[in-house]
Each structure stands twice: as C-alpha cells, then as structure tokens.
Amino acid sequence: MKLGRGLVPIRKQERALKKLGPPDDNQAIGLAFIGSIVSTRKALEQIVVGFAADDEATVQDGYTKVGAAGARTCTYAQQLGLVS
C-alpha cells in the first residue's frame, strides 16, 4: 500500500529527531514536538491497519488522530521557530 510507504520518511524523521533531542533553550516544546511526530506516525499506522482490515471505524479514528497530531506538530514547530 502506498500509504504504508509514506511512513518510511516519517520514521526516519522521528529517529533523527530523537537522536538530536530537544533544543537546550526550549526542551519542553522540543519534547512535545517530537512526541507529536510520534503520535502522527502511530495514527498513520492505525490508518494502514484499518485499510488492510477493511475497518472503516479504525480508519476514521486514525484520520481524526492524524489531524490533531498534525495540528500540534505545526504549532510546536512554529513555537520552535522551525516555520513561520
């Protein structure tokens, strides 16, 4: 499934961010940012599993979680100065 392949760069980003760690001057937001990336990945994995099982409720729940995690990620990225 193509969506499953989309998880590869997310997993790479997650590993790199965990290795790098949060910035010294804003550890709380940095850790929250990394956590939101993890939440996004887990929600996408849920969607992939839901599609494979033809389970619409699981897919819909995953989409809801992805939307929330993505919004948090964007907010944290702005607070860290990663996007404007």
Side-chain angles (χ1 to χ4, degrees):
M1 173 178 276
K2 290 182 182 186
L3 183 58
R5 286 188 293 194
L7 289 166
V8 174
I10 292 171
R11 289 181 182 128
K12 286 180 181 179
Q13 179 186 30
E14 181 183 329
R15 283 191 303 272
L17 285 170
K18 285 179 177 177
K19 185 176 179 180
L20 181 63
D24 290 336
D25 62 340
N26 204 342
Q27 288 203 359
I29 298 298
L31 288 172
F33 175 73
I34 294 168
S36 67
I37 298 286
V38 172
S39 295
T40 301
R41 183 218 0 115
K42 287 181 179 181
L44 285 170
E45 288 172 344
Q46 178 181 333
I47 292 168
V48 170
V49 168
F51 275 131
D54 198 25
D55 182 346
E56 185 176 332
T58 297
V59 172
Q60 289 302 317
D61 182 59
Y63 276 125
T64 299
K65 290 176 181 175
V66 163
R72 287 192 310 273
T73 301
C74 199
T75 298
Y76 297 140
Q78 289 172 341
Q79 291 174 347
L80 292 167
L82 301 173
V83 295
S84 58

